[in-house]
Amino acid sequence: MPTTGNYFHLHLVSDSTGETLITVARAVAAQYANVTAVEHVYPLVRSQKQLDRVLDEIEEAPGIVLFTLLEKDLVARLEAKCRDINIPSLSIIGPVMQLFEAYLGAATTGRVGAQHVLNAEYFKRIDALNYTMMHDDGQHVEGLEEADVVLVGVSRTSKTPTSIYLANRGVRTANVPLVPGIPLPHQLQALKKPLVVSLHATPERLIQVRQNRLLSMGADTPNDDYIDRQAVTDEVAYARKLSAKFSWAQLDVTRRSIEETAAAVLKLFTDRQRQRFAE
C-alpha cells in the first residue's frame, strides 16, 4: 500500500540546505487534503557514508523520495535503492538543469549549494534583514526614508512577518502601526523614496486573529477595545481614510497568507520601480 491510514512517508534528500525540496514538496502535498506527508528531511548529504544512513531510513519507512543531489555516484545509488524496494524517486532540479543546459549550450558547474554563496545578493539580504529588524513596529522612524517599502496598518494585519519575508528577498522594509488617537510620525507623512503600502483586513478577521493572540498570551479582556466590534470597525475606517489621504497603495490581507501578501507587495514595488525607470 502506498499509504498507511491517512499518511505517507516523504523522504527529502539534499546535498545542500534542503530548502528547495521542502518548498516544492509542501506546495504539492498541500493539494492533497485527505492525506498527510510525514517528512524525513536529510540535508547536507555529500558522502557515501551519509547516504548509507539515508538509504537505511528509506528502507525502514518506504515512501516517495525527492532529491536534489549533484554527485552522480550518490544519485545512482539512491535511484538504484529505490528501484530495488519498488518506491518512486525523482530529482527535483535534474529536469530543470537539463533544460538550461540544452538552451544555453553549456554544462553546469556542479557546485553544491551554489545558490548560497556569499555574494553581493547575499549581503544585500543581510543588510535588508538588519534594517527591517531595526525598523519594526514604528521604531527609528527617522530612518524611514532609507526603506524600499514601508508597511502600515492597524494591529494584526501581518506587518511584521511580511516585513521579514520581504527583507529575506533583499527588500529593506519598515513597518509602522496605525493607531487611532496617536498622531502619525511626520517622517511617514513626508516620505518620497519608499513605496508605502497600507495593509487592511475586515473587522471580523481582525477580531478573530486578535482573540487568538489574547488566548495565546493567557489574557482575559473580553470588553477591551482591542476586540470590540465597533472599535475595530473604527480602526479599519481610520486606516482606510489615512490611506486615501496620503495616496498609499492599499492591500487587503483578509484571506492572504504571509507569502501571498509579500508577493503582492513585491509586484507593487516592481511595478513602481519599472515606472520610475521609464520616466
Side-chain angles (χ1 to χ4, degrees):
M1 291 290 289
T3 64
T4 301
N6 62 343
Y7 71 89
F8 69 99
H9 293 282
L10 178 60
H11 299 273
L12 308 175
V13 189
S14 174
D15 52 21
S16 188
T17 62
E19 293 175 16
T20 302
L21 270 175
I22 292 170
T23 300
V24 172
R26 289 180 179 174
V28 176
Q31 300 300 314
Y32 298 89
N34 297 323
V35 64
T36 301
V38 178
E39 293 182 358
H40 304 262
V41 183
Y42 313 95
L44 304 175
V45 177
R46 299 177 180 178
S47 71
Q48 296 290 349
K49 185 176 181 179
Q50 290 169 328
L51 184 60
D52 287 340
R53 180 181 66 86
V54 174
L55 298 180
D56 288 342
E57 293 195 21
I58 290 174
E59 189 166 14
E60 289 178 8
I64 294 174
V65 177
L66 303 179
F67 62 91
T68 51
L69 299 175
L70 294 180
E71 175 56 52
K72 292 181 179 179
D73 289 342
L74 298 180
V75 172
R77 276 196 67 202
L78 178 59
E79 291 181 330
K81 183 66 171 182
C82 291
R83 286 194 300 269
D84 289 344
I85 60 177
N86 196 29
I87 60 173
S89 66
L90 178 69
S91 170
I92 295 301
I93 62 173
V96 181
M97 289 175 63
Q98 291 172 9
L99 179 65
F100 272 53
E101 187 171 340
Y103 184 78
L104 299 174
T108 64
T109 62
R111 284 190 300 150
V112 173
Q115 72 271 37
H116 300 299
V117 296
L118 303 183
N119 56 14
E121 188 65 26
Y122 175 84
F123 289 109
K124 179 183 177 182
R125 294 204 311 273
I126 296 301
D127 173 70
L129 282 166
N130 286 333
Y131 176 88
T132 296
M133 298 305 293
M134 286 285 292
H135 296 82
D136 180 44
D137 200 30
Q139 299 181 78
H140 302 291
V141 291
E142 66 279 0
L144 288 180
E145 191 64 40
E146 301 170 11
D148 297 315
V149 171
V150 177
L151 302 180
V152 298
V154 301
S155 175
R156 300 294 110 187
T157 47
S158 69
K159 297 184 298 298
T160 293
T162 303
S163 296
I164 295 172
Y165 191 99
L166 289 168
N168 198 44
R169 298 290 295 274
V171 180
R172 290 161 65 95
T173 310
N175 73 81
V176 180
L178 301 180
V179 184
I182 297 181
L184 290 180
H186 67 85
Q187 293 92 340
L188 177 62
Q189 302 178 49
L191 290 179
K192 301 296 182 184
K193 175 179 135 328
L195 168 68
V196 182
V197 181
S198 183
L199 305 183
H200 300 280
T202 63
E204 294 77 14
R205 177 59 176 164
L206 289 174
I207 291 171
Q208 179 187 38
V209 174
R210 291 179 181 187
Q211 286 175 331
N212 291 336
R213 171 69 171 169
L214 291 174
L215 286 173
S216 69
M217 296 172 62
D220 185 18
T221 52
N223 297 318
D224 196 291
D225 284 348
Y226 188 63
I227 55 174
D228 177 76
R229 179 70 167 76
Q230 187 57 54
V232 175
T233 299
D234 291 343
E235 279 187 72
V236 172
Y238 168 74
R240 289 194 177 278
K241 183 178 180 180
L242 285 178
S243 300
K245 177 180 179 181
F246 294 105
S247 299
W248 295 332
Q250 298 189 48
L251 192 60
D252 191 330
V253 302
T254 302
R255 298 185 180 278
R256 295 179 191 263
S257 66
I258 301 302
E259 294 84 355
E260 290 171 328
T261 299
V265 173
L266 276 173
K267 184 178 186 306
L268 290 171
F269 178 66
T270 301
D271 290 346
R272 186 170 186 258
Q273 294 292 92
R274 188 180 297 115
Q275 182 179 0
R276 285 187 168 186
F277 182 78
E279 293 172 355

